[in-house]
Structures are given as structure tokens and as C-alpha cells.
Amino acid sequence: MGSFHLTKMSLRNLFKKPATKMYPVVAPTYTSRSKGHVTCDMKECILCNICEKRCPTHAIAVNKPDETWSIDNFSCIQCLSCVRACPKACLTMEPDYTKAAFTKSTVTLHKPELTPEEKAAKEAAEKEKAERIAKAKAAKAARDAAAAASE
Ligand code: SF4
Ligand code: SF4
């Protein structure tokens, strides 16, 4: 009875598709929720540092003066905290895995150079913000002065 069952199983397995794939010759298929590696859209990133603070394994490093965002993929535990915390939604979990390597390495991304139009738009936005702040400060000073005069 046992050998009959074994023969049946062996014959069935002979004609079945293999349960494993010849990776890396055959590329794996990823689902939309596969957790592979985190990447950053540097055009959108404002270097606010929130992702670095939220990362439980200190895998992310943001360098504001150099305008760079780095990740040590070998320390990342794919918890998605950084992706959820990013205020600009510029972090994404890509489905493909980090390739095996002999040494640990860090991926560093740089802010792209702005086009002349983008530079002009940024300067205009900064000027407008500075004007708004100055106006608000002047209004507050006027209110404080009026309050002090009425006392
Ligand atoms: S949280 Fe988002 S915007 Fe802020 S530094 Fe990280 S990637 Fe950039
Ligand atoms: S997914 Fe988690 S561990 Fe990986 S970089 Fe983001 S916060 Fe850090």
C-alpha cells in the first residue's frame, strides 16, 4: 500500500510543473504588495529628514547641505515607516529585491539640477513666502503696539 502511494506520487510529480524557479535565469514575478527596496523621487524630496528620524534601523541618512538622500538597503527591514511618514509622498517601496553582494553598500541619490524655469519659480515662491512672513510680522507688531497703547 505504501509503495503504491509512493509510485503514484512520483509519477504525478514527474508530469507536474516544478515548484521552484531557475532564479536568476528566470525572473521572479512580483505582486503589487511585494516588499523589495525603498527608493526616493529626488525631484519631490524636500530633505525634511522625517524619514531618517522614523527609520527604526537607521538605514536612511539625509544630508541637507549636500542635498543627498542615502539608504543602506542591507539594514532596511522593509517596515514601510518611512514611506508612510514622508510628507511629500516621494518614497516608494519598489517590488524588486536588493541584489546579493559581498559587501554592504549605501545607495546615495542627489537632488537634480533645477532648470532655469524651475529656479525662477522657486525664487519667486521663496520671495512670496518672505513677503508673507514680513507682512504677518508687521501686522503682529502693529497689534501689539495698539494693545500696549490702550493699556
Ligand atoms: S521624508 Fe520624504 S521629503 Fe522628507 S527627506 Fe525623507 S524622502 Fe525627503
Ligand atoms: S522601510 Fe523601514 S527600515 Fe526600511 S528604510 Fe524605511 S523606515 Fe527604515
PDB file of all heavy atoms in Angstrom, residues 40 44-52 60 62 69 82 85-91, ligand 1:
ATOM      1  N   CYS A  40      13.644  56.826  -3.618  1.00  0.00           N
ATOM      2  CA  CYS A  40      13.165  58.191  -3.385  1.00  0.00           C
ATOM      3  C   CYS A  40      13.125  58.980  -4.692  1.00  0.00           C
ATOM      4  O   CYS A  40      14.071  58.919  -5.482  1.00  0.00           O
ATOM      5  CB  CYS A  40      14.125  58.869  -2.393  1.00  0.00           C
ATOM      6  SG  CYS A  40      13.666  60.549  -1.999  1.00  0.00           S
ATOM      7  N   GLU A  44      11.005  65.461  -5.903  1.00  0.00           N
ATOM      8  CA  GLU A  44       9.954  65.866  -4.956  1.00  0.00           C
ATOM      9  C   GLU A  44      10.459  66.026  -3.528  1.00  0.00           C
ATOM     10  O   GLU A  44       9.850  66.718  -2.713  1.00  0.00           O
ATOM     11  CB  GLU A  44       8.818  64.827  -4.966  1.00  0.00           C
ATOM     12  CG  GLU A  44       8.052  64.739  -6.265  1.00  0.00           C
ATOM     13  CD  GLU A  44       7.392  66.051  -6.642  1.00  0.00           C
ATOM     14  OE1 GLU A  44       6.848  66.713  -5.755  1.00  0.00           O
ATOM     15  OE2 GLU A  44       7.455  66.432  -7.827  1.00  0.00           O
ATOM     16  N   CYS A  45      11.553  65.355  -3.205  1.00  0.00           N
ATOM     17  CA  CYS A  45      12.062  65.348  -1.829  1.00  0.00           C
ATOM     18  C   CYS A  45      12.456  66.758  -1.383  1.00  0.00           C
ATOM     19  O   CYS A  45      13.097  67.501  -2.114  1.00  0.00           O
ATOM     20  CB  CYS A  45      13.270  64.421  -1.749  1.00  0.00           C
ATOM     21  SG  CYS A  45      14.034  64.396  -0.118  1.00  0.00           S
ATOM     22  N   ILE A  46      12.042  67.115  -0.152  1.00  0.00           N
ATOM     23  CA  ILE A  46      12.376  68.449   0.372  1.00  0.00           C
ATOM     24  C   ILE A  46      13.445  68.353   1.470  1.00  0.00           C
ATOM     25  O   ILE A  46      13.669  69.302   2.213  1.00  0.00           O
ATOM     26  CB  ILE A  46      11.115  69.176   0.900  1.00  0.00           C
ATOM     27  CG1 ILE A  46      10.352  68.280   1.888  1.00  0.00           C
ATOM     28  CG2 ILE A  46      10.221  69.619  -0.235  1.00  0.00           C
ATOM     29  CD1 ILE A  46       9.235  68.986   2.625  1.00  0.00           C
ATOM     30  N   LEU A  47      14.058  67.181   1.588  1.00  0.00           N
ATOM     31  CA  LEU A  47      15.157  66.932   2.540  1.00  0.00           C
ATOM     32  C   LEU A  47      14.753  67.310   3.970  1.00  0.00           C
ATOM     33  O   LEU A  47      15.526  67.907   4.711  1.00  0.00           O
ATOM     34  CB  LEU A  47      16.424  67.692   2.103  1.00  0.00           C
ATOM     35  CG  LEU A  47      16.936  67.349   0.690  1.00  0.00           C
ATOM     36  CD1 LEU A  47      17.896  68.399   0.202  1.00  0.00           C
ATOM     37  CD2 LEU A  47      17.576  65.979   0.652  1.00  0.00           C
ATOM     38  N   CYS A  48      13.512  66.961   4.324  1.00  0.00           N
ATOM     39  CA  CYS A  48      12.985  67.360   5.642  1.00  0.00           C
ATOM     40  C   CYS A  48      13.489  66.473   6.775  1.00  0.00           C
ATOM     41  O   CYS A  48      13.284  66.772   7.936  1.00  0.00           O
ATOM     42  CB  CYS A  48      11.461  67.348   5.613  1.00  0.00           C
ATOM     43  SG  CYS A  48      10.785  65.691   5.433  1.00  0.00           S
ATOM     44  N   ASN A  49      14.049  65.313   6.422  1.00  0.00           N
ATOM     45  CA  ASN A  49      14.675  64.467   7.452  1.00  0.00           C
ATOM     46  C   ASN A  49      13.697  63.566   8.226  1.00  0.00           C
ATOM     47  O   ASN A  49      14.124  62.816   9.100  1.00  0.00           O
ATOM     48  CB  ASN A  49      15.424  65.358   8.443  1.00  0.00           C
ATOM     49  CG  ASN A  49      16.666  64.723   8.961  1.00  0.00           C
ATOM     50  OD1 ASN A  49      17.212  63.848   8.301  1.00  0.00           O
ATOM     51  ND2 ASN A  49      17.104  65.130  10.122  1.00  0.00           N
ATOM     52  N   ILE A  50      12.401  63.666   7.939  1.00  0.00           N
ATOM     53  CA  ILE A  50      11.419  62.891   8.709  1.00  0.00           C
ATOM     54  C   ILE A  50      11.653  61.386   8.528  1.00  0.00           C
ATOM     55  O   ILE A  50      11.599  60.614   9.486  1.00  0.00           O
ATOM     56  CB  ILE A  50       9.978  63.285   8.304  1.00  0.00           C
ATOM     57  CG1 ILE A  50       9.697  64.714   8.767  1.00  0.00           C
ATOM     58  CG2 ILE A  50       8.943  62.317   8.873  1.00  0.00           C
ATOM     59  CD1 ILE A  50       8.368  65.284   8.341  1.00  0.00           C
ATOM     60  N   CYS A  51      11.946  60.973   7.290  1.00  0.00           N
ATOM     61  CA  CYS A  51      12.138  59.533   7.036  1.00  0.00           C
ATOM     62  C   CYS A  51      13.319  59.008   7.850  1.00  0.00           C
ATOM     63  O   CYS A  51      13.256  57.900   8.405  1.00  0.00           O
ATOM     64  CB  CYS A  51      12.352  59.279   5.549  1.00  0.00           C
ATOM     65  SG  CYS A  51      13.637  60.291   4.809  1.00  0.00           S
ATOM     66  N   GLU A  52      14.376  59.805   7.932  1.00  0.00           N
ATOM     67  CA  GLU A  52      15.561  59.384   8.699  1.00  0.00           C
ATOM     68  C   GLU A  52      15.191  59.187  10.171  1.00  0.00           C
ATOM     69  O   GLU A  52      15.600  58.212  10.796  1.00  0.00           O
ATOM     70  CB  GLU A  52      16.664  60.440   8.560  1.00  0.00           C
ATOM     71  CG  GLU A  52      17.932  60.043   9.288  1.00  0.00           C
ATOM     72  CD  GLU A  52      19.033  61.087   9.158  1.00  0.00           C
ATOM     73  OE1 GLU A  52      19.092  61.789   8.145  1.00  0.00           O
ATOM     74  OE2 GLU A  52      19.845  61.183  10.098  1.00  0.00           O
ATOM     75  N   ILE A  60      18.357  55.109   6.768  1.00  0.00           N
ATOM     76  CA  ILE A  60      18.304  56.297   5.900  1.00  0.00           C
ATOM     77  C   ILE A  60      19.163  57.417   6.474  1.00  0.00           C
ATOM     78  O   ILE A  60      19.196  57.616   7.694  1.00  0.00           O
ATOM     79  CB  ILE A  60      16.841  56.785   5.752  1.00  0.00           C
ATOM     80  CG1 ILE A  60      16.007  55.722   5.030  1.00  0.00           C
ATOM     81  CG2 ILE A  60      16.763  58.110   4.998  1.00  0.00           C
ATOM     82  CD1 ILE A  60      14.543  56.065   4.897  1.00  0.00           C
ATOM     83  N   VAL A  62      19.831  61.605   5.580  1.00  0.00           N
ATOM     84  CA  VAL A  62      19.530  62.769   4.740  1.00  0.00           C
ATOM     85  C   VAL A  62      20.588  63.828   5.024  1.00  0.00           C
ATOM     86  O   VAL A  62      20.838  64.168   6.176  1.00  0.00           O
ATOM     87  CB  VAL A  62      18.116  63.326   5.048  1.00  0.00           C
ATOM     88  CG1 VAL A  62      17.827  64.568   4.209  1.00  0.00           C
ATOM     89  CG2 VAL A  62      17.058  62.267   4.793  1.00  0.00           C
ATOM     90  N   TRP A  69      20.139  62.040  -0.351  1.00  0.00           N
ATOM     91  CA  TRP A  69      19.324  61.099   0.427  1.00  0.00           C
ATOM     92  C   TRP A  69      19.966  59.732   0.225  1.00  0.00           C
ATOM     93  O   TRP A  69      20.174  59.305  -0.915  1.00  0.00           O
ATOM     94  CB  TRP A  69      17.894  61.119  -0.110  1.00  0.00           C
ATOM     95  CG  TRP A  69      16.948  60.190   0.579  1.00  0.00           C
ATOM     96  CD1 TRP A  69      16.133  60.470   1.622  1.00  0.00           C
ATOM     97  CD2 TRP A  69      16.696  58.817   0.245  1.00  0.00           C
ATOM     98  NE1 TRP A  69      15.391  59.366   1.964  1.00  0.00           N
ATOM     99  CE2 TRP A  69      15.718  58.337   1.142  1.00  0.00           C
ATOM    100  CE3 TRP A  69      17.197  57.940  -0.712  1.00  0.00           C
ATOM    101  CZ2 TRP A  69      15.232  57.023   1.099  1.00  0.00           C
ATOM    102  CZ3 TRP A  69      16.724  56.637  -0.747  1.00  0.00           C
ATOM    103  CH2 TRP A  69      15.756  56.199   0.155  1.00  0.00           C
ATOM    104  N   CYS A  82       9.015  54.806   6.788  1.00  0.00           N
ATOM    105  CA  CYS A  82       9.470  55.995   6.060  1.00  0.00           C
ATOM    106  C   CYS A  82       8.499  56.348   4.939  1.00  0.00           C
ATOM    107  O   CYS A  82       8.179  57.518   4.737  1.00  0.00           O
ATOM    108  CB  CYS A  82      10.870  55.775   5.507  1.00  0.00           C
ATOM    109  SG  CYS A  82      11.002  54.333   4.438  1.00  0.00           S
ATOM    110  N   ALA A  85       5.505  57.991   6.402  1.00  0.00           N
ATOM    111  CA  ALA A  85       5.748  59.278   7.073  1.00  0.00           C
ATOM    112  C   ALA A  85       6.107  60.407   6.117  1.00  0.00           C
ATOM    113  O   ALA A  85       5.943  61.573   6.473  1.00  0.00           O
ATOM    114  CB  ALA A  85       6.863  59.112   8.094  1.00  0.00           C
ATOM    115  N   CYS A  86       6.571  60.094   4.932  1.00  0.00           N
ATOM    116  CA  CYS A  86       7.059  61.151   4.023  1.00  0.00           C
ATOM    117  C   CYS A  86       5.944  62.147   3.677  1.00  0.00           C
ATOM    118  O   CYS A  86       4.930  61.764   3.103  1.00  0.00           O
ATOM    119  CB  CYS A  86       7.630  60.525   2.747  1.00  0.00           C
ATOM    120  SG  CYS A  86       8.169  61.769   1.572  1.00  0.00           S
ATOM    121  N   PRO A  87       6.122  63.431   3.995  1.00  0.00           N
ATOM    122  CA  PRO A  87       5.056  64.409   3.731  1.00  0.00           C
ATOM    123  C   PRO A  87       4.869  64.704   2.245  1.00  0.00           C
ATOM    124  O   PRO A  87       3.856  65.256   1.845  1.00  0.00           O
ATOM    125  CB  PRO A  87       5.527  65.647   4.485  1.00  0.00           C
ATOM    126  CG  PRO A  87       7.000  65.523   4.558  1.00  0.00           C
ATOM    127  CD  PRO A  87       7.293  64.051   4.641  1.00  0.00           C
ATOM    128  N   LYS A  88       5.864  64.383   1.431  1.00  0.00           N
ATOM    129  CA  LYS A  88       5.762  64.657   0.002  1.00  0.00           C
ATOM    130  C   LYS A  88       5.422  63.408  -0.806  1.00  0.00           C
ATOM    131  O   LYS A  88       5.379  63.453  -2.041  1.00  0.00           O
ATOM    132  CB  LYS A  88       7.082  65.246  -0.520  1.00  0.00           C
ATOM    133  CG  LYS A  88       7.464  66.565   0.101  1.00  0.00           C
ATOM    134  CD  LYS A  88       6.499  67.668  -0.229  1.00  0.00           C
ATOM    135  CE  LYS A  88       6.705  68.181  -1.635  1.00  0.00           C
ATOM    136  NZ  LYS A  88       5.736  69.243  -1.971  1.00  0.00           N
ATOM    137  N   ALA A  89       5.216  62.297  -0.120  1.00  0.00           N
ATOM    138  CA  ALA A  89       4.896  61.007  -0.768  1.00  0.00           C
ATOM    139  C   ALA A  89       5.901  60.677  -1.868  1.00  0.00           C
ATOM    140  O   ALA A  89       5.530  60.188  -2.938  1.00  0.00           O
ATOM    141  CB  ALA A  89       3.476  61.013  -1.311  1.00  0.00           C
ATOM    142  N   CYS A  90       7.167  60.986  -1.616  1.00  0.00           N
ATOM    143  CA  CYS A  90       8.166  60.722  -2.654  1.00  0.00           C
ATOM    144  C   CYS A  90       8.958  59.447  -2.400  1.00  0.00           C
ATOM    145  O   CYS A  90       9.856  59.113  -3.171  1.00  0.00           O
ATOM    146  CB  CYS A  90       9.087  61.918  -2.836  1.00  0.00           C
ATOM    147  SG  CYS A  90       9.961  62.401  -1.358  1.00  0.00           S
ATOM    148  N   LEU A  91       8.613  58.727  -1.316  1.00  0.00           N
ATOM    149  CA  LEU A  91       9.270  57.436  -1.076  1.00  0.00           C
ATOM    150  C   LEU A  91       8.352  56.319  -1.539  1.00  0.00           C
ATOM    151  O   LEU A  91       7.153  56.351  -1.275  1.00  0.00           O
ATOM    152  CB  LEU A  91       9.582  57.249   0.410  1.00  0.00           C
ATOM    153  CG  LEU A  91      10.658  58.148   0.990  1.00  0.00           C
ATOM    154  CD1 LEU A  91      10.809  57.896   2.469  1.00  0.00           C
ATOM    155  CD2 LEU A  91      11.983  57.935   0.285  1.00  0.00           C
TER     156      LEU A  91
HETATM  157  S1  SF4 B   1      10.504  62.335   4.446  1.00  0.00           S
HETATM  158 FE1  SF4 B   1      10.272  62.465   2.225  1.00  0.00          FE
HETATM  159  S2  SF4 B   1      10.617  64.626   1.752  1.00  0.00           S
HETATM  160 FE2  SF4 B   1      11.417  64.287   3.805  1.00  0.00          FE
HETATM  161  S3  SF4 B   1      13.603  63.811   3.496  1.00  0.00           S
HETATM  162 FE3  SF4 B   1      12.501  61.865   3.558  1.00  0.00          FE
HETATM  163  S4  SF4 B   1      12.081  61.423   1.406  1.00  0.00           S
HETATM  164 FE4  SF4 B   1      12.584  63.566   1.520  1.00  0.00          FE
END
